[in-house]
Amino acid sequence: MQSIRNIAIIAHVDHGKTTLVDKMLHMGQLFQDHQNPGDLIMDSNDLEKERGITILSKNASVRYKDTKINIIDTPGHSDFGGEVERVLNMADGVLLLVDAFEGPMPQTRFVLSKAISLGLKPIVVINKVDKPNCRPEEVQDKVLDLMFELDATEDQLDFPVVFGSAKNNWMGPDWKDQQEDITYLMDQIIEHIPAPEVREGVPQLQITSLDYSTYVGRIAIGRLFQGELKENQDILMVKRDGEQSKARIRELFVFEGLGKAKVTEVKAGEICALVGLEGFDIGDTVTDPETPMPMPPINIDEPTMSMLFTINDSPFYGREGKYVTSRHLKDRLEAELERNLALRVVETPSPDSFNVFGRGVLHLSVLIETMRREGYELQVGQPQVIVKEIDGKKHEPVEELTIDLPDSYSGRAIDLVTQRKGEMTNMELRGSRAVVTFVIPSRGIIGLRNELLTATAGEAIMAHRFTDFAPIKGDIQKRQNGSLIAHDGGVAIAYALDRLQDRGKFFIKPQDEIYEGMVVGENNRADDLVVNVIKTKKLTNMRSAGSDDKMKLAPPIVFSLEESLEYIKEDEYLEVTPESLRIRKIKLKEHERKKKG
């Protein structure tokens, strides 16, 4: 049996997990002359590269000193928490990465609590010690306090600590003493992370993640806890409800470097991929047909938010996308369900629209962004939180919210969150900045980021994670301002925009094409206002000196996809096409809106 270590890397979003995994892969000498050193190998899809966040957990492996280290890179954002929980089941230990300045953050707590409850031994890596004002010793104490709070065992509390900078490619025992490379960390992994327990007996493999290939369909990925599996072996698949089905393993793969290597057999302790299984779900057990031994099922996080997805029926439909029909939309959502586990799709009475349930606005916006890049056109409604009935009372999702901002703005931020039914639980000063923690309903977080950034001159950093369902807190004030709605279709004229500037802020610029019912700006008042932005100047043969050079237009407000989703009201849709994002009223004609109102 070759020497193996299975290790997951967990951390808060943006603390440097993926950078560290890249350095470990380089350490395994997989890439001498490979690609630009600035590129991250693990964040492979375009969205991950642009946003600098990990969305999908990924498997890789390196060989170091005759040991194969299977590395699982996990997402740090709580909207993808479902990924983290499952993949931790494959590991025997974790690398807990913490920023030397920020210290443990909400997501650190979330992923660490999962790892500790599974009995995994952590190695704490205090990263980014090259940052100005960093405080590695203080952060180390904070991690220890957090472990105590999470009821870690004696063995878990006796964790090794490694300091360093993944970006600068060094890790060592002392943060003041810079090393040549990350060898110290690799040695700590081999010394402190236990080798997988090899159990003899009938095979037991739990499917914890999946891959998808257009050639072979769904590929099951999991760790073999007991026994061995061979190519062309007949197996029994036991589902979470106890239902059983027989299947045959067509091909077996293990992870080598960034890819997969085909093998004929796999022994206990290894992480492998199986081709040939049909209709499986996460948490199903692959075992022996003669003497089946199913494993306890894994819990998958429930969705907390829903959004209506519908076909694009605006006057501009079909101009930019190639997939515009309800059949395209349905097929694409069904394909997404194959690999995106925290997602649910429910058909509505209308054949053209679907209710899509997910873990949060970011989770759903990543799906929407991926679809628009693939050439889909669609419209989405306002995000709605999922309300559950528990003991005859209505409950809604509640989140822990952490805001890191300059101390001078903390009063304004607390005021904003309190208006949205948030309750402050902790406040901590770090130099000139404050870190404030709240408990807030998920409804209150929708649209909060924009208001916070405006109130703090763009300085606030916001992170939140779902904690539980709690009784509904009552009404929450939403967007105060009404919309400016286009009266007619055509091309926006600078003269008309200039005349309407005192009515509000615009989302369009001169020469933009618009249609009737499209939201072209935000009204200064609370009600909606229909405006004519295609009105041209009446030309006469009388001229007054200097009358044409007074026009000064404010630049339009440009929203990102998430900001647009958080901004729209109940009676509005966001039209998403490969090139454009447009906010529109669901009823485009003014008389229809009035009739409904």
Side-chain angles (χ1 to χ4, degrees):
M1 171 74 186
Q2 60 170 343
S3 182
I4 289 180
R5 299 288 184 278
N6 295 321
I7 185 161
I9 301 200
I10 58 174
H12 183 76
V13 62
D14 208 22
H15 277 194
K17 290 183 300 301
T18 304
T19 310
L20 180 63
V21 174
D22 274 39
K23 296 299 185 255
M24 289 167 79
L25 291 171
H26 281 284
M27 191 78 197
Q29 276 125 24
L30 290 166
F31 314 97
Q32 261 70 25
D33 47 15
H34 183 63
Q35 109 253 39
N36 176 351
D39 286 351
L40 288 178
I41 305 160
M42 289 300 270
D43 278 351
S44 47
N45 86 31
D46 290 343
L47 275 177
E48 290 182 315
K49 287 178 183 163
E50 283 167 30
R51 292 168 184 238
I53 59 172
T54 302
I55 293 168
L56 303 165
S57 62
K58 303 183 186 62
N59 297 70
S61 75
V62 295
R63 290 190 179 277
Y64 177 76
K65 292 189 176 171
D66 303 327
T67 301
K68 179 181 179 187
I69 303 174
N70 283 317
I71 305 168
I72 309 154
D73 181 21
T74 63
H77 202 289
S78 60
D79 277 18
F80 310 109
E83 291 270 331
V84 180
E85 203 164 338
R86 295 192 324 272
V87 296
L88 287 179
N89 281 297
M90 293 197 266
D92 293 300
V94 292
L95 283 190
L96 173 70
L97 212 63
V98 187
D99 184 299
F101 173 69
E102 291 183 354
M105 294 288 278
Q107 197 56 26
T108 318
R109 186 189 190 98
F110 171 74
V111 287
L112 185 60
S113 66
K114 304 277 187 212
I116 282 177
S117 63
L118 288 168
L120 299 176
K121 172 88 186 246
I123 292 178
V124 174
V125 180
I126 295 177
N127 190 25
K128 304 194 181 184
V129 295
D130 52 335
K131 261 188 170 181
N133 307 329
C134 69
R135 43 195 195 119
E137 281 107 347
E138 212 178 308
V139 166
Q140 186 178 343
D141 294 342
K142 285 256 171 21
V143 174
L144 190 61
D145 293 346
L146 180 60
M147 296 262 208
F148 268 118
E149 274 181 52
L150 297 172
D151 296 332
T153 62
E154 287 280 321
D155 181 49
Q156 286 171 325
L157 285 169
D158 182 25
F159 55 84
V161 182
V162 179
F163 298 92
S165 163
K167 191 169 142 197
N168 296 331
N169 196 25
W170 71 270
M171 291 282 156
D174 181 0
W175 69 278
K176 297 186 185 105
D177 176 21
Q178 184 165 343
Q179 304 289 309
E180 291 296 306
D181 52 26
I182 62 165
T183 328
Y184 180 76
L185 173 66
M186 305 297 271
D187 291 337
Q188 293 292 310
I189 291 173
I190 289 172
E191 186 183 336
H192 292 282
I193 300 292
E197 189 187 334
V198 179
R199 302 204 303 247
E200 298 300 321
V202 298
Q204 265 190 323
L205 176 137
Q206 189 152 40
I207 300 172
T208 41
S209 148
L210 49 97
D211 205 348
Y212 188 78
S213 149
T214 42
Y215 300 108
V216 295
R218 297 169 87 198
I219 301 168
I221 297 172
R223 173 175 164 179
L224 185 58
F225 286 91
Q226 181 175 294
E228 53 185 57
L229 288 174
K230 294 191 168 74
E231 203 174 30
N232 294 322
Q233 181 176 339
D234 289 321
I235 53 101
L236 184 74
M237 211 157 57
V238 183
K239 300 188 90 58
R240 86 176 32 232
D241 58 3
E243 189 191 321
Q244 301 182 349
S245 60
K246 291 191 174 177
R248 174 171 284 190
I249 299 169
R250 288 213 307 270
E251 291 179 306
L252 267 177
F253 293 90
V254 293
F255 292 91
E256 285 292 344
L258 282 173
K260 299 188 191 81
K262 193 169 180 220
V263 289
T264 53
E265 67 172 352
V266 172
K267 299 233 179 349
E270 180 67 282
I271 294 171
C272 59
L274 315 178
V275 174
L277 311 187
E278 293 293 328
F280 60 82
D281 284 312
I282 296 302
D284 294 357
T285 307
V286 170
T287 182
D288 186 63
E290 306 301 319
T291 46
M293 285 181 67
M295 295 180 71
I298 309 172
N299 291 326
I300 293 176
D301 291 353
E302 289 181 48
T304 57
M305 203 160 274
S306 76
M307 235 181 251
L308 184 77
F309 279 47
T310 179
I311 58 166
N312 185 10
D313 60 0
S314 86
F316 291 173
Y317 92 98
R319 287 190 180 186
E320 296 166 8
K322 33 181 195 187
Y323 307 115
V324 293
T325 66
S326 55
R327 165 57 61 212
H328 287 138
L329 187 59
K330 185 170 192 260
D331 290 350
R332 178 64 183 81
L333 290 173
E334 281 173 358
E336 188 66 25
L337 288 173
E338 294 281 328
R339 60 188 105 179
N340 194 336
L341 297 155
L343 204 71
R344 307 269 181 283
V345 176
V346 178
E347 294 194 12
T348 63
S350 155
D352 295 336
S353 53
F354 305 89
N355 267 325
V356 180
F357 296 82
R359 289 280 302 156
V361 173
L362 180 66
H363 182 206
L364 292 167
S365 75
V366 164
L367 167 61
I368 297 166
E369 182 65 44
T370 310
M371 286 173 68
R372 73 185 282 218
R373 290 178 184 213
E374 290 169 3
Y376 285 83
E377 284 194 10
L378 65 151
Q379 293 181 148
V380 289
Q382 186 191 43
Q384 305 287 340
V385 299
I386 293 168
V387 176
K388 275 176 142 185
E389 190 111 350
I390 303 174
D391 302 330
K393 276 189 170 177
K394 288 189 170 175
H395 284 57
E396 64 178 339
V398 174
E399 312 213 11
E400 181 185 80
L401 166 71
T402 304
I403 303 171
D404 177 339
L405 76 175
D407 187 31
S408 52
Y409 292 118
S410 56
R412 182 84 189 92
I414 292 166
D415 190 33
L416 270 176
V417 178
T418 318
Q419 285 173 14
R420 291 164 167 264
K421 300 285 189 279
E423 290 168 18
M424 189 167 96
T425 54
N426 188 30
M427 182 169 178
E428 185 188 324
L429 289 176
R430 292 183 190 163
S432 63
R433 292 182 78 85
V435 177
V436 199
T437 312
F438 302 89
V439 172
I440 182 171
S442 298
R443 291 181 294 147
I445 289 179
I446 300 173
L448 177 63
R449 193 181 303 270
N450 283 345
E451 288 188 18
L452 257 182
L453 289 173
T454 310
T456 61
E459 290 267 356
I461 301 165
M462 187 173 125
H464 54 93
R465 67 179 186 90
F466 167 73
T467 51
D468 204 0
F469 278 84
I472 286 190
K473 290 257 187 121
D475 287 340
I476 290 178
Q477 269 191 334
K478 279 290 165 65
R479 191 174 108 202
Q480 303 291 322
N481 303 56
S483 303
L484 296 176
I485 307 160
H487 180 273
D488 275 315
V491 172
I493 304 290
Y495 170 77
L497 293 176
D498 181 48
R499 288 285 178 275
L500 291 164
Q501 281 199 105
D502 57 344
R503 294 305 184 120
K505 302 172 186 147
F506 281 97
F507 307 152
I508 57 167
K509 57 184 189 302
Q511 301 307 305
D512 278 357
E513 271 199 274
I514 55 162
Y515 53 79
E516 182 184 355
M518 183 170 145
V519 175
V520 291
E522 181 182 277
N523 192 0
N524 287 336
R525 298 186 177 179
D527 52 344
D528 289 348
L529 181 68
V530 177
V531 293
N532 184 356
V533 289
I534 61 169
K535 186 179 178 183
T536 52
K537 186 176 181 184
K538 293 280 178 284
L539 297 177
T540 68
N541 57 2
M542 302 291 286
R543 298 194 58 180
S544 63
S547 65
D548 282 349
D549 54 16
K550 291 178 187 157
M551 211 183 291
K552 281 199 174 76
L553 285 177
I557 299 171
V558 180
F559 287 135
S560 70
L561 177 62
E562 267 115 69
E563 287 167 344
S564 305
L565 290 171
E566 292 189 341
Y567 182 81
I568 57 178
K569 289 180 160 179
E570 303 86 39
D571 65 340
E572 292 170 352
Y573 276 153
L574 175 66
E575 179 189 348
V576 181
T577 64
E579 307 292 326
S580 322
L581 295 172
R582 298 183 192 93
I583 298 174
R584 52 158 286 185
K585 288 292 175 187
I586 295 176
K587 302 265 186 239
L588 294 178
K589 302 273 182 218
E590 189 182 359
H591 66 85
E592 288 178 0
R593 291 197 297 275
K594 280 184 172 160
K595 201 161 48 181
K596 197 177 173 213

